[in-house]
Amino acid sequence: AQSVTQLGSHVSVSEGALVLLRCNYSSSVPPYLFWYVQYPNQGLQLLLKYTTGATLVKGINGFEAEFKKSETSFHLTKPSAHMSDAAEYFCAVSSGGYQKVTFGIGTKLQVIP
Amino acid sequence: DTAVSQTPKYLVTQMGNDKSIKCEQNLGHDTMYWYKQDSKKFLKIMFSYNNKELIINETVPNRFSPKSPDKAHLNLHINSLELGDSAVYFCASSQDRGEAFFGQGTRLTVV
């Protein structure tokens, strides 16, 4: 079984401030982990992914995430928020098997000017 | 060239009607999915097909029937539409354990 918990359904940051979106996962096997972004009225777009190897992964738009096995976490960060970062962010896990990808409930990021 | 395309983008229909949503992917992926996103943005998997074979059916009412004529297409037919079916439906595809690529979504409104 696999699951994802995103802490904080809404996060507000000031423009230029650090963005931290939290994600914890549960998986019975080494997981593949993903962060997606959804802009209003659009589909989901992959920000970054962790499969194997280096635990700090960099994605598009200046985002990065670190896989911490001991904490079962995969938090998303960006050093300086931009207005265009306002969107819904989803963490997801794939444990293989039937290739099912399970999503967290999403975190809405608001960027305050 | 759109990787995962679904049609229509918007669908407004009356209760009790039957409707279909079509999905096509040109990525050569073996696995395709239907997800439902409710008004609170929660994404729930409905079905997954691998090489035209149904592999996941997540306690979805049998009014929903997916059909995969080939591995590049996965359509969703919904019978006897209900108010609670109103949502955004996303088609997606993936390969092995890789990331899922999503279509733009179909916003279904049942009135």
Side-chain angles (χ1 to χ4, degrees), chain A residues 29-32 34 36 38 41-44 46 49 88 90 94-96 98-101 103-105, chain B residues 9 31 33 35 37 40-43 45 48 50 55-56 58 90 96-100 102-104 107:
Chain A
V29 300
Y32 284 18
F34 311 91
Y36 286 84
Q38 185 181 27
N41 297 316
Q42 293 190 25
L44 279 75
L46 183 73
K49 64 180 178 182
E88 193 89 22
F90 293 90
S94 170
S95 301
Y98 290 121
Q99 302 155 9
K100 175 180 170 180
V101 180
F103 287 83
I105 62 169
Chain B
K9 189 169 182 179
T31 305
Y33 312 83
Y35 284 87
Q37 187 174 46
K40 295 184 178 175
K41 302 292 186 182
F42 182 64
L43 264 172
I45 190 166
S48 174
N50 188 58
I55 55 174
I56 293 175
E58 291 280 326
F90 285 101
D96 300 324
R97 288 181 64 190
E99 68 267 29
F102 282 80
Q104 290 298 296
R107 183 174 295 276

Side-chain angles (χ1 to χ4, degrees), chain B residues 6-19:
Chain B
Q6 53 183 110
T7 55
K9 189 169 182 179
Y10 299 96
L11 188 52
V12 181
T13 187
Q14 291 187 324
M15 282 175 54
N17 282 352
D18 303 338
K19 290 293 178 185

Side-chain angles (χ1 to χ4, degrees), chain B:
Chain B
D1 214 17
T2 305
V4 181
S5 59
Q6 53 183 110
T7 55
K9 189 169 182 179
Y10 299 96
L11 188 52
V12 181
T13 187
Q14 291 187 324
M15 282 175 54
N17 282 352
D18 303 338
K19 290 293 178 185
S20 293
I21 307 172
K22 296 186 176 183
C23 179
E24 176 182 6
Q25 56 98 359
N26 63 8
L27 298 166
H29 290 166
D30 288 333
T31 305
M32 294 186 72
Y33 312 83
W34 279 109
Y35 284 87
K36 180 180 180 180
Q37 187 174 46
D38 62 23
S39 58
K40 295 184 178 175
K41 302 292 186 182
F42 182 64
L43 264 172
K44 181 173 168 56
I45 190 166
M46 301 173 69
F47 302 103
S48 174
Y49 270 73
N50 188 58
N51 275 319
K52 304 192 298 177
E53 300 288 330
L54 178 66
I55 55 174
I56 293 175
N57 181 343
E58 291 280 326
T59 58
V60 176
N62 58 15
R63 297 182 296 103
F64 290 79
S65 53
K67 282 193 172 51
S68 183
D70 55 60
K71 76 172 195 178
H73 295 84
L74 180 61
N75 304 322
L76 183 65
H77 187 76
I78 315 170
N79 289 326
S80 303
L81 278 155
E82 301 177 357
L83 292 177
D85 297 332
S86 296
V88 181
Y89 292 84
F90 285 101
C91 177
S93 71
S94 70
Q95 184 67 24
D96 300 324
R97 288 181 64 190
E99 68 267 29
F101 289 77
F102 282 80
Q104 290 298 296
T106 296
R107 183 174 295 276
L108 172 65
T109 303
V110 182
V111 298

